[in-house]
Amino acid sequence: MLEHNMGQVIREMSRQLRPEAQELLCALIRLPSTAGSPTQAQELVARELGWLGLETERFIIDPKEVADHPEYTPPQAGGGENLYAAWPGQKRGRSLLIFSHIDTEPLTHPEQWHHPPFQPTTQGDRLYGLGSADAKAGVAAMLMAIRVLRQAGLYPAGEVRILSILGKQGGALGTLGAMVRGYRADASIYLHPAESGAGWSQIKTASRGMLNFEI
């Protein structure tokens, strides 16, 4: 299939599946997954991966595994399961890792919310709910990307690796631990909407770092 035709097929299938993508994101928002309690939301992700025909590997990171790493930040709350799956593709190209985090910031000052935090609410072209952009939209996007390609009858040249991880608290319980354990690829995409306000219309290739310290 010619490249431009392939792009047209993907765009059309994405358009057709847009309502399903939004419902998946809403379903994830309805399941609280604040730091230390992501279990229910991860179960939904595991089911979605299963429906896509992918085997899910579950793993829990012990902070001691990464305590000596220069990017380690001590977590402030309990952990939980991370999920990994791989789509073999045609096994003749480079591998790609797509990942995002399922855990959210804690729910503080609920009285200040204009919309119920665990009840997804659409207003205009925006969807409100705790974790909608940070970063359950990324989790939904990577699951839908696989679904779009499968339903379009397209298969990647190389293996696509998927991680739904714990990314808050410095990533010691998820992102950092997963990288140290070897869940890597030739290239990766972090599916997290840009925090510039541009959302999915902006692709970031670099960002300022974060420095954590304790006195």
Side-chain angles (χ1 to χ4, degrees):
M1 184 182 292
L2 295 176
E3 187 174 335
H4 69 276
N5 289 339
M6 192 181 300
Q8 290 176 352
V9 169
I10 292 172
R11 284 191 293 273
E12 176 59 25
M13 187 60 66
S14 299
R15 186 190 64 79
Q16 292 178 20
L17 294 178
R18 185 181 178 88
E20 292 181 36
Q22 184 166 330
E23 180 48 43
L24 175 57
L25 176 54
C26 289
L28 288 170
I29 293 170
R30 292 186 191 103
L31 298 172
S33 57
T34 52
S37 59
T39 306
Q40 283 185 300
Q42 284 289 57
E43 287 298 332
L44 175 56
V45 175
R47 289 197 299 273
E48 285 289 324
L49 289 169
W51 292 334
L52 291 170
L54 304 181
E55 251 184 71
T56 302
E57 181 179 332
R58 302 165 184 253
F59 62 98
I60 296 175
I61 299 296
D62 182 342
K64 295 176 184 175
E65 293 182 49
V66 293
D68 293 332
H69 196 281
E71 294 188 22
Y72 173 73
T73 299
Q76 302 301 309
E81 286 188 331
N82 298 276
L83 303 180
Y84 170 79
W87 185 17
Q90 300 176 51
K91 297 184 177 179
R92 57 177 175 78
R94 295 187 299 169
S95 57
L96 174 68
L97 171 68
I98 52 177
F99 71 101
S100 195
H101 66 81
I102 193 69
D103 53 336
T104 71
E105 294 289 348
L107 177 58
T108 56
H109 305 294
E111 72 282 357
Q112 295 181 9
W113 280 72
H114 297 295
H115 308 281
F118 299 115
Q119 181 181 318
T121 305
T122 303
Q123 186 173 327
D125 60 353
R126 289 180 177 270
L127 177 66
Y128 294 89
L130 183 60
S132 55
D134 185 20
K136 290 183 176 182
V139 175
M142 67 185 186
L143 293 170
M144 291 305 301
I146 303 297
R147 190 186 301 187
V148 164
L149 292 177
R150 279 190 174 281
Q151 291 194 208
L154 301 173
Y155 296 89
E159 185 172 71
V160 177
R161 298 165 186 171
I162 304 110
L163 274 172
S164 176
I165 43 81
L166 310 184
K168 295 294 182 181
Q169 308 181 69
L173 301 173
T175 317
L176 177 59
M179 298 301 115
V180 169
R181 281 192 170 199
Y183 293 95
R184 304 182 182 188
D186 294 315
S188 67
I189 302 175
Y190 179 26
L191 288 169
H192 191 304
E195 293 173 334
S196 61
W200 290 115
S201 64
Q202 186 177 75
I203 297 175
K204 296 168 70 176
T205 57
S207 64
R208 291 175 295 178
M210 179 183 293
L211 176 65
N212 296 281
F213 60 93
E214 184 175 346
I215 298 176

